């Protein structure tokens, strides 16, 4: 509910339809801390098909994959829409967050998901290949046990153990914190217009770290306290200028360019980062 608050969620389930909850412990150095129980059973399973890489800026219309859910009590509602719809569900497959537009029941606990929006919450322009057999989670609020017993920062490792009533040993999992929810995405689609007098204007398109669906088909919510960008200019490996802009464009006059004293044969690049509430985005790198 708070777009500025990073969260860590634990999803758990069992292979039997009667599985309900498990005791949950959080790793703290060499010790374990009892933090209660897991949330109600999450919809989980494993992929049957492999999934090839894809550009994260394009909807994956060609690929899809089947998933085998853990038990007969689990279900995925059939759907025929777009992954850009406001209510498009989130899923997690082998470390990658996605949204899907279409789902189809194949029988015997098997579902096929397609029309994918790949690589949600990442600045990477492509996502990796997934082999068959990857862990699958259908992201739903009721199945998420948020860990609020400890504050995490990027770089931390989180380890939890879940122990059911009939379990001889706990299920153990861990994750490294990357701060995906708090770091703005890198800007994209930079264009530069050079005037006859040598001045130029650079414009780009921002991306929001909060995906609430493409509500108006035009723009995404800002999700930051204000719109601000930092543009750094490099001649080779040396930074020669830095500017701040409060809109997604910047104009550099011919006089400003001459004052920088950049050699005519120098390799000049610009790095554009969005200034977020908690962090800078990764850079959009543009050759000038």
């Amino acid at each position: 509910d708070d777009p500025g608050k990073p969260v860590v969620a634990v999803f758990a389930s069992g292979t039997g339809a009667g599985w309900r909850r498990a005791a949950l412990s959080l790793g703290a150095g060499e010790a374990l801390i009892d933090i209660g129980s897991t949330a109600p059973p999450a919809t989980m399973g494993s992929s049957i098909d492999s999934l090839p890489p894809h550009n994260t800026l394009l909807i994956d219309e060609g690929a899809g994959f089947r998933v085998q859910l853990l038990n007969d009590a689990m279900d995925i509602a059939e759907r025929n829409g777009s992954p850009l719809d406001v209510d498009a569900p989130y899923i997690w497959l082998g470390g990658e967050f996605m949204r899907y537009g279409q789902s189809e029941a194949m029988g015997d606990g098997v579902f096929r998901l397609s029309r994918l929006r790949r690589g949600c919450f990442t600045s990477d322009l492509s996502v990796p290949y997934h082999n068959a057999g990857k862990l699958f989670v259908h992201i739903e609020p009721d199945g998420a046990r948020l860990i609020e017993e400890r504050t995490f920062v990027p770089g931390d490792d989180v380890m939890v153990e879940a122990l059911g009533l009939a379990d001889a040993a706990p299920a153990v999992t861990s994750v490294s914190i990357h701060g995906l929810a708090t770091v703005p995405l890198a800007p994209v689609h930079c264009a530069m217009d050079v005037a006859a007098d040598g001045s130029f204007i650079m414009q780009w398109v921002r991306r929001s770290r909060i995906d609430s669906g493409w509500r108006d088909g035009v723009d995404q919510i800002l999700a930051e306290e204000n719109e601000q960008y930092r543009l750094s200019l490099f001649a080779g490996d040396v930074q020669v200028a830095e500017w701040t802009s409060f809109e997604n464009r910047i104009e550099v006059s011919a006089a400003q360019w001459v004052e920088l004293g950049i050699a005519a044969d120098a390799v000049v690049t610009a790095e554009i980062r969005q200034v977020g509430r908690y962090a800078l985005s990764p850079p959009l790198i543009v050759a000038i």
Side-chain angles (χ1 to χ4, degrees):
D1 295 329
D2 180 359
K5 180 182 179 181
V7 296
V8 176
V10 176
F11 296 85
S13 195
T15 56
W19 190 95
R20 290 295 175 262
R21 292 178 187 263
L24 195 64
S25 299
L26 175 66
E30 299 296 323
L32 287 172
I33 301 173
D34 181 2
I35 59 172
S37 67
T38 59
T43 300
M44 302 175 68
S46 59
S47 60
I48 298 174
D49 306 308
S50 60
L51 191 62
H54 199 267
N55 189 317
T56 58
L57 302 182
L58 301 173
I59 294 176
D60 191 345
E61 298 277 10
F65 68 96
R66 293 172 298 161
V67 59
Q68 174 70 63
L69 300 184
L70 285 178
N71 62 60
D72 294 338
M74 297 180 181
D75 187 35
I76 296 176
E78 294 204 56
R79 180 182 181 87
N80 186 10
S82 167
L84 299 178
D85 291 340
V86 174
D87 61 345
Y90 282 102
I91 57 175
W92 186 90
L93 180 69
E96 179 188 343
F97 286 100
M98 311 179 200
R99 300 183 88 173
Y100 65 87
Q102 295 183 341
S103 56
E104 178 185 2
M106 310 294 289
D108 297 325
V110 176
F111 295 81
R112 187 176 189 276
L113 307 178
S114 57
R115 294 211 75 200
L116 306 174
R117 182 183 169 211
R118 306 284 302 275
C120 298
F121 312 111
T122 178
S123 280
D124 295 336
L125 294 181
S126 64
V127 284
Y129 180 89
H130 292 288
N131 294 316
K134 289 295 182 72
L135 178 63
F136 166 88
V137 182
H138 198 275
I139 305 294
E140 299 168 301
D142 290 346
R145 166 58 160 89
L146 302 185
I147 297 181
E148 299 180 315
E149 288 81 1
R150 183 181 147 201
T151 300
F152 301 100
V153 297
D156 283 353
D157 291 322
V158 185
M159 189 276 287
V160 293
E161 291 187 358
L163 183 65
L165 289 175
D167 291 341
V172 181
T173 190
S174 62
V175 67
S176 295
I177 303 300
H178 297 291
L180 299 180
T182 57
V183 179
L185 299 178
V188 291
H189 301 310
C190 184
M192 186 169 67
D193 183 22
V194 181
D197 64 357
S199 63
F200 63 86
I201 297 175
M202 295 181 69
Q203 300 184 79
W204 54 87
V205 177
R206 68 169 178 83
R207 292 191 288 165
S208 176
R209 60 186 169 88
I210 303 299
D211 183 4
S212 59
W214 204 9
R215 297 176 184 272
D216 59 6
V218 177
D219 206 358
Q220 284 276 37
I221 61 173
L222 180 61
E224 312 297 346
E225 293 179 348
N226 55 60
E227 186 170 4
Q228 183 177 343
Y229 305 91
R230 184 176 300 170
L231 189 149
S232 302
L233 199 65
F234 293 85
D237 296 328
V238 179
Q239 182 173 327
V240 295
E242 184 173 271
W243 300 290
T244 297
S245 176
F246 293 93
E247 55 183 341
N248 61 331
R249 68 190 299 275
I250 193 166
E251 183 173 355
V252 178
S253 69
Q256 286 177 295
W257 185 263
V258 171
E259 289 175 0
L260 295 176
I262 300 174
D265 60 348
V267 177
V268 181
T269 57
E271 293 189 0
I272 305 168
R273 300 174 185 262
Q274 183 173 358
V275 180
R277 181 177 173 186
Y278 297 99
L280 291 172
S281 76
L284 165 63
I285 301 176
V286 183
I288 297 180

